[in-house]
Amino acid sequence: MYKPAIFLFLFNSLFCVVIAQTKDSTTAKHKENEQPRTEISHGVVTIDGERINYTSTAGTLILKNDKKEKTASMFYISYTKDGVKDINHRPVTFCYNGGPGGSSVLVNLGGFGPTRVITADAEPTPPPPYQIQENPYSLLNNTDLVFIDAVGTGYSELLEKGTGSDFWGCDADVKSFSDFIYQYLNKNNLWNRPKFLLGESYGTPRSAMLANRLQQQGIALNGIILISSILNFNNEFWFQPPGSNDLSYELYLPSYAAIAWHHKKLPNQPASLQNFLEEVRGFTLGDYAQALSKGDLIPQTSYANVVRHLHNYTGLSEAYLKEANLRVTPQRFEKELLRDERKTLGRYDARYQGIDFDAAGENPDYDPSATAMFPAVVSAFHDYLLNKLDYKSESDYVFLSYKVNGAWDWHHTVGEHKYPVPNTLPDLQEVMTQNPYLHVFSGNGYYDLATPFFKTEYELNHLNLAPELQKHITVKHYEDGHMIYLHEEALKSIHNDLNIFYKQATGGK
């Protein structure tokens, strides 16, 4: 069975050098983690002109099986606003990254927590010392925050009665997160508080599955925040031989156009990115989709017209587009667009440029958007744990685990249907229908080649929702890549958009 690890958040061979620096302790069983633990500290942050005092808690909760045997210790970092008078109207948001096999560091210290590491924009971040400072765009003004590490990541570890198969799979993972949330709500007396989920990349299908599971357990959510979505891993995501699946190529085309626009590689550079992309969307679902569907029977005049438009929209030469049979994979696009400059593009953020040893090669040697920021986040988070949260452990903090990712069971069951890879659109449709007050926010970067924005639009437009429920979905785009929050202007924009979203999802209270 094929496994889609190469497409997911921070998992591909480009990270081998970086990840090798962090020991994988996913099977470690440390005595210190067999009991719940908390370390409490305090901080202050100014957000939207409001000075907020908050309490930080770094701790663990213990998961048990049906026999009440300890199976895993799940690590979290929470931030709660101090001095809240109307506590029942104060939301709590459970946050996580993706992978699968990624810890929650990036959405915490990178974007939405009260402290943030500063990384360079669209270029490599210089070596240490790194800047760690108050985050004026944290979501703490709207909600208390709980950042959760999946089992096998961060400090979340297997215990004596736990095995990888208990946690490392779509459905098993969702069960562990629902068990954590249930226990956390009990421990902190949060049952009557507004509740939100925030997930990035693989964290978005996790959110759809988790929201549906929680709903069945009697835990209704107010909102779901999807960052850089991939909700359906079925046909439209796989680049297969021509004739077996063309939707993948169609859904990536608007991203190629946005990236070519950013790098000024278009033959006739439009002034407005948004207007330009509207034109590209129309061509994608119209002439381009029809051309690919006709295959070898496409008339020569139609073929020439499509080649010309693809050239105008992607900046790639007509000769190259013909050689590619009108179908360009993201890896080829990353290598080809700036080939004449001996540069490549980043996968997670195509604003970043890399230099390959072999400029004539087929695919990039590495992802410059990943290597540009990852060391800064690793070092800053260790410093933050030790010096700000005062959390020390015998375990190694696992930022990314190939072991978890490689062992992942991709099957997902919805009702009577078992999918070989997760299609979570039925989950989202079901939970939004059963909870007609649920609001969904979706944010994507235009320059993301891991989870393209038009694919997200396509999926959210195919939920088969009632019109009144479709209105509860908010879709926003940003001139950024996969990790939207790393670009300060984009972080500011999404912060403002989420200010509005939280008010909408909580009835304005």
Side-chain angles (χ1 to χ4, degrees):
M1 187 185 88
Y2 62 86
K3 294 186 177 181
I6 192 172
F7 290 103
L8 303 186
F9 175 60
L10 293 180
F11 274 97
N12 54 45
S13 60
L14 308 179
F15 261 107
C16 287
V17 175
V18 178
I19 295 179
Q21 300 171 3
T22 303
K23 181 182 177 183
D24 189 340
S25 58
T26 54
T27 57
K29 298 177 176 66
H30 295 88
K31 293 285 187 183
E32 66 173 26
N33 286 333
E34 292 183 357
Q35 298 297 326
R37 174 185 174 186
T38 56
E39 298 291 344
I40 296 175
S41 56
H42 301 277
V44 182
V45 61
T46 300
I47 306 172
D48 294 339
E50 178 188 3
R51 197 69 173 156
I52 297 174
N53 292 283
Y54 65 90
T55 297
S56 305
T57 302
T60 58
L61 293 179
I62 305 301
L63 301 188
K64 299 179 181 180
N65 60 22
D66 292 340
K67 298 179 181 179
K68 305 303 180 184
E69 298 168 325
K70 298 174 182 178
T71 56
S73 170
M74 286 190 77
F75 178 75
Y76 68 92
I77 299 174
S78 69
Y79 306 99
T80 57
K81 182 180 179 180
D82 298 338
V84 177
K85 295 179 181 179
D86 191 3
I87 195 66
N88 279 341
H89 288 112
R90 174 73 175 170
V92 57
T93 302
F94 297 95
C95 313
Y96 32 81
N97 277 102
S103 64
S104 63
V105 170
L106 277 170
V107 289
N108 181 358
L109 202 65
F112 302 117
T115 301
R116 180 170 178 257
V117 58
I118 305 302
T119 55
D121 184 39
E123 62 182 10
T125 299
Y130 301 109
Q131 298 181 57
I132 308 171
Q133 61 188 39
E134 285 186 20
N135 182 8
Y137 310 114
S138 171
L139 297 180
L140 194 58
N141 63 318
N142 293 300
T143 176
D144 290 343
L145 299 163
V146 185
F147 295 90
I148 310 168
D149 287 342
V151 175
T153 77
Y155 284 137
S156 295
E157 295 185 340
L158 295 173
L159 298 181
E160 288 297 334
K161 297 299 181 179
T163 64
S165 60
D166 294 329
F167 301 98
W168 301 339
C170 296
D171 294 341
D173 172 79
V174 166
K175 182 181 184 303
S176 69
F177 271 81
S178 66
D179 289 349
F180 175 93
I181 290 173
Y182 192 99
Q183 190 177 156
Y184 189 90
L185 295 176
N186 255 349
K187 178 182 178 181
N188 295 282
N189 191 21
L190 301 178
W191 284 100
N192 204 31
R193 297 268 291 274
K195 302 170 189 68
F196 290 76
L197 302 178
L198 186 156
E200 179 186 58
S201 199
Y202 181 80
T204 60
R206 175 186 286 147
S207 291
M209 293 182 282
L210 179 57
N212 199 17
R213 182 180 178 88
L214 292 173
Q215 177 72 24
Q216 307 313 316
Q217 294 177 319
I219 302 175
L221 298 172
N222 297 72
I224 302 173
I225 299 168
L226 307 172
I227 307 295
S228 302
S229 294
I230 160 69
L231 296 173
N232 184 359
F233 289 74
N234 282 319
N235 292 333
E236 69 265 20
F237 203 62
W238 306 111
F239 291 91
Q240 300 170 3
S244 55
N245 174 31
D246 284 327
L247 188 56
S248 302
Y249 300 97
E250 297 162 23
L251 298 181
Y252 264 86
L253 180 56
S255 293
Y256 299 160
I259 294 162
W261 179 89
H262 173 79
H263 288 286
K264 296 181 171 54
K265 288 294 183 177
L266 299 173
N268 301 296
Q269 184 77 8
S272 167
L273 175 60
Q274 284 69 33
N275 292 342
F276 171 56
L277 290 179
E278 278 302 301
E279 180 181 333
V280 177
R281 285 182 179 98
F283 169 78
T284 297
L285 296 179
D287 290 352
Y288 185 48
Q290 293 173 21
L292 296 188
S293 69
K294 290 178 180 177
D296 296 338
L297 298 181
I298 182 174
Q300 191 58 39
T301 54
S302 298
Y303 179 84
N305 178 62
V306 169
V307 168
R308 183 173 65 255
H309 276 83
L310 287 175
H311 168 62
N312 290 335
Y313 292 155
T314 67
L316 302 179
S317 71
E318 293 192 13
Y320 184 85
L321 292 164
K322 291 177 181 178
E323 291 169 358
N325 199 27
L326 309 182
R327 298 165 175 87
V328 179
T329 63
Q331 293 83 1
R332 283 185 165 184
F333 184 78
E334 292 160 25
K335 185 74 173 184
E336 185 65 23
L337 185 67
L338 304 181
R339 189 186 292 271
D340 61 342
E341 302 176 28
R342 297 183 64 90
K343 299 287 181 65
T344 61
L345 302 174
R347 175 173 176 257
Y348 293 105
D349 190 334
R351 297 177 305 143
Y352 290 77
Q353 300 179 26
I355 303 174
D356 279 357
F357 173 76
D358 179 10
E362 176 77 357
N363 300 313
D365 292 341
Y366 69 103
D367 182 355
S369 62
T371 59
M373 59 82 190
F374 194 68
V377 175
V378 170
S379 294
F381 187 71
H382 277 301
D383 181 82
Y384 180 66
L385 277 173
L386 293 172
N387 298 313
K388 177 67 174 178
L389 302 182
D390 196 28
Y391 195 94
K392 300 176 178 64
S393 174
E394 294 179 3
S395 305
D396 294 311
Y397 192 91
V398 181
F399 288 84
L400 305 165
S401 173
Y402 272 113
K403 183 166 189 174
V404 171
N405 188 265
W408 202 258
D409 179 359
W410 291 96
H411 290 87
H412 172 50
T413 301
V414 185
E416 298 179 353
H417 301 282
K418 187 172 185 179
Y419 298 92
V421 289
N423 173 12
T424 65
L425 297 179
D427 293 274
L428 189 57
Q429 191 274 345
E430 184 170 299
V431 71
M432 291 188 71
T433 300
Q434 294 184 11
N435 176 6
Y437 298 99
L438 178 64
H439 286 249
V440 174
F441 178 94
S442 175
N444 284 77
Y446 283 127
Y447 310 130
D448 178 6
L449 286 174
T451 56
F453 71 91
F454 193 52
K455 181 181 188 301
T456 297
E457 292 178 15
Y458 183 91
E459 290 175 347
L460 293 177
N461 289 336
H462 287 78
L463 285 172
N464 294 318
L465 285 175
E468 62 270 22
L469 300 181
Q470 186 71 33
K471 294 177 182 178
H472 289 181
I473 299 177
T474 301
V475 178
K476 296 290 183 178
H477 301 101
Y478 306 92
E479 290 195 38
D480 204 341
H482 194 72
M483 289 78 82
I484 295 168
Y485 39 78
L486 292 181
H487 178 31
E488 186 167 350
E489 283 303 310
L491 176 59
K492 180 179 179 180
S493 294
I494 195 171
H495 171 79
N496 292 336
D497 290 336
L498 288 174
N499 282 345
I500 298 170
F501 176 74
Y502 272 97
K503 289 180 181 179
Q504 292 173 336
T506 55
K509 297 179 180 179

